[in-house]
Amino acid sequence: MNTISKILSVLAVFSFVACDFHGPWEYYPEKRDVYTGIYTYGYIASGEAPYICFSKVYELEETAIESIAFYDSAYVTVKGRFVTTSGEEKDTLSVLYSGNKPNCFGGYAYRGIVGETYTMEAYFEWDSSGHKAESRYKAQATIPPKVKIKGLNVPLQNGDYEWKPFNEKKPRFEIDFLEYPMDMEFVKCALDYDQSVRGVIAVMNYDMSNAESQNTTINDMFKGFTSEDEEGYRGISIHDPLEQTQNLGFTSNRKVADFHALDTAYLMNMMLPLGDVSVDLYSTDESYIDYIDKVRESVNDSRILPESNIENGMGVFTGMSKATVLLHVNGDGVSVKHIAHHNCYNAEGDLSDSWDSKGCRLYQDVYCAAIDVSVWSDDLATLNSKAYEEYRDSVYSRDSKECYASNVKAAMMLDTTKWSLFLPDTINTQDKSNAYADGLKRYCVASGFENNKIADCYDLYKLCMESPENNYCKEYLWTWCADRDWPDNDQCRSALVSRYYLKEQKSSIILREVQKVCDLYRPTICNNWCTENKDHLECPESSPLEK
């Protein structure tokens, strides 16, 4: 056989083998259309009113603001058997209304009942990729019974476990935090449940009255890389100190051999704050499993086809019931309040990075006013707005450099006779000048540029509210409004218009709001981009000043 014949023979054999050789190239996802409608995320819970949020699917370059409605009009209802505020059960239609969050809808007078099925219907008129659209969505959800807590199997420092049965007369379990190397152990919560419960979402609740142990595996790992402060904190926190809840995950009701996944809720010891803690266990219906396994997973894996109970749409509307595990965790640690301050305050350099996040910016005035966040039900934005009132009796933080600007702002909010009384006598000239400039900026924006006997906001008003140029005042104003979810006041209406044009944003939704602001309120800033057309201002899609 000549060389060419040999080669052809080899190629023939290889071709035959290759045709029968299986590999990953045989398994590829089929091409499918990307969903471009409205996403739904809502629930109806036992003893609670329905609550449903909607969101359009945005293009990559689009800008969005959660506090602005994406739709022109909406009508959302939930039908079923409810309990009224007077305790009466009745079949009725509950019309849901939006509040401070215009894309979320809630009820008021009607509460869900275990075992009942509810039908959600939603109708939207909205702008879909530049075209006016009408969309209808429908879904059903059934409220499962809540899980029952039989007791806890609590790990001990010596490696053993102690069974603590649930006691209705004393429902709070008292346990000890396990320190390194046992901190990775799990507290095992034994559950009893009906088979209509298809899964459980676990959410932990805590606040600034809690603390965190520092004798943990993760802190031991970083001993050579980070140093302790005066409280023993290394800058590694398990929980966000400026939040009050933490999602611990979802467990579905599945059986593998003799193992039933929902028989036990696992709470990692290291994840538990010290002090009083609660864990809410939300039982869900079948639709939530489809949402977790098929809708959310399809985003990361194109081989998974999304399946949602939202007819014509995507997302989930599920039934829920809540049971709560109450814990008191004993142990030594660093307070969450100290962690919040440490994480926000950068003590190095010129402090330019201090308090540089939304949560920290809102917390700074609250911290400087010495407000105990753990005893307030208000959110940080609300506490920030009234922090200055705590200065009436004393200036708690007079000597703290990080609070100089907050103190000056408080003095101006109170319209006191002398703002410098809110600063220490030993402050140098440069720090005093910086504190005044920063405090004045904060006061003017927060007060709507209101002058008083110690604050003159004229120059800042010109920069923030009238100038067509980008400047430090506008940058601060935009951040201030965004931190507070764009409240409906004069300064944020002006900021919405200036940011839209100066940042060259792409958003038909924000443009609609810009047009509304300029038509109804006519802030001076609109004159830089919008033109008079008969009896109203007409605002262009983009800034003519950039062309």
Side-chain angles (χ1 to χ4, degrees), residues 55-107:
S55 175
K56 66 165 284 187
V57 179
Y58 293 95
E59 298 177 24
L60 290 177
E61 68 271 29
E62 270 190 292
T63 301
I65 298 177
E66 288 186 359
S67 57
I68 294 178
F70 68 83
Y71 51 85
D72 296 319
S73 63
Y75 185 65
V76 182
T77 63
V78 175
K79 185 178 181 180
R81 188 165 185 80
F82 295 91
V83 173
T84 67
T85 52
S86 62
E88 176 189 2
E89 290 190 13
K90 62 184 297 187
D91 290 305
T92 188
L93 183 74
S94 176
V95 179
L96 308 190
Y97 299 93
S98 60
N100 294 332
K101 297 181 178 180
N103 298 319
C104 293
F105 296 76

Side-chain angles (χ1 to χ4, degrees), residues 281-349:
L281 302 175
Y282 292 91
S283 54
T284 69
D285 62 8
E286 186 74 33
S287 60
Y288 198 80
I289 292 184
D290 287 339
Y291 171 71
I292 292 292
D293 291 349
K294 298 175 183 178
V295 176
R296 281 180 42 175
E297 285 301 314
S298 69
V299 176
N300 301 317
D301 190 340
S302 59
R303 295 170 299 177
I304 298 175
L305 294 177
E307 291 185 23
S308 167
N309 71 327
I310 309 296
E311 292 182 17
N312 304 318
M314 195 59 65
V316 66
F317 174 60
T318 185
M320 292 184 177
S321 289
K322 182 177 76 173
T324 301
V325 182
L326 300 175
L327 301 170
H328 181 83
V329 185
N330 298 314
D332 297 322
V334 175
S335 72
V336 173
K337 184 176 181 179
H338 176 82
I339 292 171
H341 175 257
H342 183 285
N343 290 359
C344 287
Y345 179 56
N346 174 18
E348 300 176 357

Side-chain angles (χ1 to χ4, degrees), residues 166-191:
F166 176 74
N167 184 346
E168 289 187 359
K169 295 181 179 179
K170 192 178 179 182
R172 188 176 297 277
F173 295 94
E174 184 165 345
I175 66 175
D176 294 329
F177 186 88
L178 300 189
E179 298 184 333
Y180 173 78
M182 300 297 292
D183 58 300
M184 301 291 283
E185 292 293 323
F186 287 88
V187 177
K188 301 175 183 178
C189 180
L191 303 178

Side-chain angles (χ1 to χ4, degrees), residues 8-166:
L8 290 174
S9 299
V10 171
L11 288 175
V13 173
F14 179 80
S15 299
F16 176 78
V17 173
C19 289
D20 200 39
F21 186 74
H22 299 283
W25 49 84
E26 291 189 75
Y27 306 97
Y28 59 91
E30 294 182 5
K31 184 178 180 180
R32 65 169 186 262
D33 294 332
V34 177
Y35 180 73
T36 57
I38 295 173
Y39 260 82
T40 302
Y41 189 88
Y43 63 86
I44 170 73
S46 171
E48 297 182 23
Y51 189 72
I52 310 170
C53 292
F54 301 90
S55 175
K56 66 165 284 187
V57 179
Y58 293 95
E59 298 177 24
L60 290 177
E61 68 271 29
E62 270 190 292
T63 301
I65 298 177
E66 288 186 359
S67 57
I68 294 178
F70 68 83
Y71 51 85
D72 296 319
S73 63
Y75 185 65
V76 182
T77 63
V78 175
K79 185 178 181 180
R81 188 165 185 80
F82 295 91
V83 173
T84 67
T85 52
S86 62
E88 176 189 2
E89 290 190 13
K90 62 184 297 187
D91 290 305
T92 188
L93 183 74
S94 176
V95 179
L96 308 190
Y97 299 93
S98 60
N100 294 332
K101 297 181 178 180
N103 298 319
C104 293
F105 296 76
Y108 300 98
Y110 303 113
R111 316 289 175 179
I113 301 172
V114 170
E116 297 293 336
T117 298
Y118 298 86
T119 301
M120 180 276 294
E121 293 192 54
Y123 170 76
F124 292 94
E125 293 180 359
W126 60 298
D127 187 316
S128 175
S129 300
H131 302 283
K132 294 296 180 182
E134 297 179 3
S135 299
R136 296 180 184 275
Y137 303 103
K138 186 177 181 179
Q140 283 192 334
T142 302
I143 299 180
K146 66 182 181 180
V147 298
K148 295 180 181 179
I149 298 144
K150 297 193 292 186
L152 298 185
N153 250 330
V154 181
L156 304 177
Q157 195 71 38
N158 64 5
D160 293 335
Y161 274 86
E162 179 185 0
W163 170 252
K164 290 180 177 284
F166 176 74

Side-chain angles (χ1 to χ4, degrees), residues 254-547:
R254 290 177 176 168
K255 178 183 176 182
V256 179
D258 291 329
F259 175 75
H260 296 260
L262 210 56
D263 284 355
T264 307
Y266 292 87
L267 309 175
M268 181 179 282
N269 171 84
M270 188 174 67
M271 295 294 295
L272 297 176
L274 307 179
D276 288 333
V277 181
S278 65
V279 178
D280 294 328
L281 302 175
Y282 292 91
S283 54
T284 69
D285 62 8
E286 186 74 33
S287 60
Y288 198 80
I289 292 184
D290 287 339
Y291 171 71
I292 292 292
D293 291 349
K294 298 175 183 178
V295 176
R296 281 180 42 175
E297 285 301 314
S298 69
V299 176
N300 301 317
D301 190 340
S302 59
R303 295 170 299 177
I304 298 175
L305 294 177
E307 291 185 23
S308 167
N309 71 327
I310 309 296
E311 292 182 17
N312 304 318
M314 195 59 65
V316 66
F317 174 60
T318 185
M320 292 184 177
S321 289
K322 182 177 76 173
T324 301
V325 182
L326 300 175
L327 301 170
H328 181 83
V329 185
N330 298 314
D332 297 322
V334 175
S335 72
V336 173
K337 184 176 181 179
H338 176 82
I339 292 171
H341 175 257
H342 183 285
N343 290 359
C344 287
Y345 179 56
N346 174 18
E348 300 176 357
D350 60 358
L351 308 183
S352 60
D353 294 331
S354 289
W355 308 94
D356 192 20
S357 68
K358 176 179 178 177
C360 292
R361 286 190 295 267
L362 293 174
Y363 181 56
Q364 186 172 17
D365 286 0
V366 176
Y367 168 81
C368 293
I371 295 176
D372 186 354
V373 177
S374 63
V375 301
W376 290 82
S377 59
D378 295 319
D379 58 30
L380 280 178
T382 303
L383 288 177
N384 178 282
S385 68
K386 56 190 179 185
Y388 72 93
E389 297 175 357
E390 298 296 314
Y391 286 81
R392 292 187 185 277
D393 299 324
S394 66
V395 185
Y396 164 82
S397 54
R398 186 193 309 272
D399 296 316
S400 179
K401 186 174 182 179
E402 62 193 302
C403 292
Y404 287 173
S406 293
N407 296 350
V408 171
K409 172 190 170 184
M412 293 176 175
M413 295 294 288
L414 294 170
D415 196 11
T416 56
T417 56
K418 197 170 179 64
W419 61 267
S420 58
L421 294 175
F422 283 61
L423 300 175
D425 296 332
T426 56
I427 189 172
N428 62 51
T429 303
Q430 185 61 54
D431 284 344
K432 190 173 185 179
S433 175
N434 292 341
Y436 177 79
D438 196 359
L440 177 66
K441 177 185 65 181
R442 297 183 187 199
Y443 161 76
C444 291
V445 169
S447 67
F449 300 91
E450 181 180 336
N451 296 325
N452 60 30
K453 57 179 173 282
I454 60 170
D456 183 352
C457 296
Y458 177 78
D459 290 338
L460 288 173
Y461 180 87
K462 300 288 286 185
L463 284 172
C464 268
M465 304 287 281
E466 295 184 350
S467 170
E469 304 294 332
N470 196 353
N471 54 61
Y472 76 94
C473 188
K474 276 190 171 60
E475 293 282 354
Y476 177 78
L477 177 60
W478 295 336
T479 300
W480 189 90
C481 294
D483 285 348
R484 291 154 181 80
D485 296 325
W486 294 91
D488 187 21
N489 55 36
D490 290 342
Q491 59 268 46
C492 290
R493 294 189 199 111
S494 177
L496 186 71
V497 175
S498 62
R499 193 181 74 155
Y500 177 79
Y501 288 112
L502 292 176
K503 291 294 186 180
E504 300 180 40
Q505 295 178 329
K506 178 185 176 182
S507 172
S508 60
I509 296 170
I510 298 179
L511 176 59
R512 181 186 62 203
E513 292 300 310
V514 166
Q515 183 67 63
K516 185 190 300 182
V517 165
C518 292
D519 268 350
L520 296 179
Y521 302 101
R522 300 228 170 184
T524 305
I525 196 71
C526 292
N527 297 329
N528 295 304
W529 298 284
C530 307
T531 56
E532 190 77 35
N533 185 357
K534 295 182 180 180
D535 59 345
H536 74 285
L537 287 177
E538 191 169 294
C539 301
E541 183 176 341
S542 58
S543 172
L545 301 179
E546 301 295 328
K547 296 178 181 179

